[in-house]
């Protein structure tokens, strides 16, 4: 199984969303990788019929060929309930997570080389009584990773996060000198090792407006972020900051920078998604496996219509395959 292009697992995510549409849509093109879709085969067939797509499904986990148009290799994970596009069902949440568990297991064992995830519906999973804050945290638990780092990358910008899926009220308490320093170590290490960047230069946002305005608008920059950056510098990491988040994304600051480290989700990601939405890729750094993801949500209103844009998925699959081969992205 290991002779040939890398094997990339695709989990389509929420069955009622556009993830299955995007998976079925891959039958219209050849890809330089071996693709295995981890999902309910019957659901994929029904979605293909709804979209008017001729689909051949192969279910042989020991024989995953290079992806060619017209067919999909599928690892069948049965859903509990029938799926209606646009109407998520909490009864299927366990199967959505099971697809992730299978993909992690196979990647950890080295039988598959990377995984790419489609969008899940966090609220529906929680409605099923399962505590779920996001892919990043769930995959970290499955792999025993203490600190995963979420990074979104477009053609022109990379943004990583100190905290991920937290209520805004909890962000200040989650930021510590140790967490920032360890996040910078992981970011620097993976930018060098996985992305092949010899001397990454990382810009670090402050937490408060104007990076605290010398302590007048908050002391986190003085008491926590600044000391963390000094510690990172002592370990050979090239960092600038803490910088005001409202100006760090201007061309003057970004010139020569490799990545931006934001303190929280909506501090950095709106800028990246504005500049490259639909073409950006979510990469989880710090994991023992390669995981990429799309940059968008479930788009329930588009499910089953044939109007879903495959751009981010194609970028995510391409990056997963590139990283799996050891080539530099």
């Amino acid at each position: 199984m290991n002779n040939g292009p890398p094997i990339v697992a695709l989990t389509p995510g929420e069955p009622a969303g556009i993830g299955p549409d995007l998976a079925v849509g891959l039958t219209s093109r050849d890809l330089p990788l071996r693709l295995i879709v981890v999902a309910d085969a019957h659901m994929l067939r029904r979605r293909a019929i709804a979209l008017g797509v001729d689909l051949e499904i192969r279910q042989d986990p020991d024989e995953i060929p290079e992806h060619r148009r017209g067919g999909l290799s599928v690892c069948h994970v049965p859903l509990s309930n029938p799926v209606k596009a646009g109407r998520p069902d909490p009864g299927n949440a366990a199967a959505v997570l099971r697809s992730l568990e299978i993909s992690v297991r196979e990647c950890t064992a080295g039988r598959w080389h990377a995984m790419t995830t489609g969008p899940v519906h966090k609220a529906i999973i929680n409605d099923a009584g399962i505590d779920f804050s996001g892919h990043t945290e769930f995959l970290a638990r499955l792999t025993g990773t203490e600190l995963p780092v979420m990074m979104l990358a477009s053609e022109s910008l990379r943004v990583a996060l100190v905290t991920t899926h937290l209520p805004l009220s909890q962000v200040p308490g989650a930021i510590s000198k140790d967490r920032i320093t360890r996040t910078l170590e992981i970011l620097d290490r993976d930018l060098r090792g996985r992305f092949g960047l010899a001397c990454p230069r990382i810009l670090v946002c402050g937490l408060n407006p104007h990076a605290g305005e010398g302590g007048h608008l908050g002391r986190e920059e003085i008491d926590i972020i600044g000391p963390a950056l000094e510690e990172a510098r002592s370990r050979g990491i090239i960092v600038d900051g803490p910088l005001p988040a409202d100006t760090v994304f201007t061309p003057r600051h970004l010139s020569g920078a490799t990545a931006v480290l934001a303190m929280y989700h909506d501090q950095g990601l709106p800028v990246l998604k504005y500049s490259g939405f639909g073409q950006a890729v979510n990469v989880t750094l710090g994991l023992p496996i390669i995981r990429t993801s799309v940059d968008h949500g479930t788009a329930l209103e588009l499910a089953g219509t044939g109007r879903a844009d495959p751009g981010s998925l194609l970028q995510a699959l391409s990056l997963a395959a590139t990283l799996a081969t050891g080539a530099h992205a």
Side-chain angles (χ1 to χ4, degrees):
M1 184 187 294
N2 290 326
N3 295 322
I7 297 171
V8 179
L10 170 62
T11 57
E14 169 53 52
I18 63 170
D21 299 45
L22 296 173
V24 167
L26 294 174
T27 62
S28 67
R29 64 188 72 222
D30 299 334
L31 297 174
L33 53 88
R34 289 182 284 172
L35 180 71
I36 178 79
V37 181
V38 189
D40 188 301
H42 306 301
M43 178 270 295
L44 291 171
R45 284 193 182 97
R46 287 191 290 269
R47 191 63 62 86
I49 291 170
L51 294 170
V53 174
D54 291 329
L55 174 61
E56 175 193 353
I57 287 183
R58 300 177 293 268
Q59 295 187 60
D60 184 355
D62 295 320
E63 188 62 38
I64 303 172
E66 188 167 352
H67 179 76
R68 290 290 179 262
R69 66 188 67 199
L72 288 177
S73 293
V74 176
C75 174
H76 178 57
V77 182
L79 295 168
S80 297
N81 300 324
V83 175
K84 184 168 184 179
R87 297 190 180 182
D89 182 347
N92 288 325
V96 170
L97 298 186
R98 178 65 179 150
S99 69
L100 295 173
E101 292 167 350
I102 291 170
S103 299
V104 168
R105 181 193 71 201
E106 296 300 299
C107 288
T108 301
R111 289 184 286 269
W112 299 348
H113 305 113
M115 62 184 291
T116 294
T117 57
V120 295
H121 198 301
K122 299 183 186 68
I124 293 299
I125 296 173
N126 281 277
D127 287 346
I130 304 169
D131 184 17
F132 182 86
S133 59
H135 272 117
T136 303
E137 298 81 5
F138 186 74
L139 297 178
R141 289 199 299 271
L142 291 179
T143 58
T145 301
E146 183 180 358
L147 183 63
V149 174
M150 180 177 176
M151 182 178 81
L152 265 75
S154 67
E155 186 175 341
S156 60
L157 183 62
R158 300 181 186 92
V159 178
L161 305 176
V162 174
T163 64
T164 53
H165 301 111
L166 285 179
L168 191 57
S169 62
Q170 296 179 20
V171 168
I175 292 174
S176 66
K177 176 186 173 184
D178 179 64
R179 186 183 184 96
I180 295 170
T181 303
R182 288 190 297 140
T183 299
L184 284 166
E185 285 184 319
I186 293 167
L187 179 57
D188 180 75
R189 183 193 69 207
D190 280 6
L191 288 172
R192 292 174 186 268
R194 285 191 172 174
F195 288 80
L197 301 167
C199 296
R201 176 172 164 253
I202 303 167
L203 309 183
V204 181
C205 297
L207 173 66
N208 298 294
H210 301 175
E213 198 74 77
H216 295 286
L217 294 176
R219 292 194 55 86
E220 284 85 358
E221 288 76 12
I222 296 172
D223 297 337
I224 299 173
I225 303 174
L229 302 194
E230 287 303 315
E231 177 66 23
R233 292 184 187 104
S234 74
R235 301 181 188 186
I237 301 171
I238 303 170
V239 292
D240 292 343
L243 299 167
D246 64 342
T247 56
V248 72
F249 293 101
T250 59
R252 180 175 68 86
H253 281 297
L254 291 176
S255 177
T258 308
V260 176
L261 180 63
M263 292 295 117
Y264 58 94
H265 188 281
D266 281 13
Q267 183 182 60
L269 297 194
V271 180
L272 183 137
K273 291 190 176 186
Y274 174 78
S275 67
F277 189 69
Q279 299 296 320
V281 179
N282 182 353
V283 188
T284 306
L285 307 179
L287 298 177
I289 62 174
I290 295 167
R291 179 259 175 162
T292 65
S293 186
V294 296
D295 68 349
H296 56 74
T298 55
L300 296 172
E301 71 283 0
L302 295 179
T305 68
R307 301 201 308 270
D309 184 347
S312 182
L313 176 61
L314 294 172
Q315 293 288 342
L317 289 170
S318 176
L319 179 58
T322 297
L323 295 176
T325 62
H328 294 315

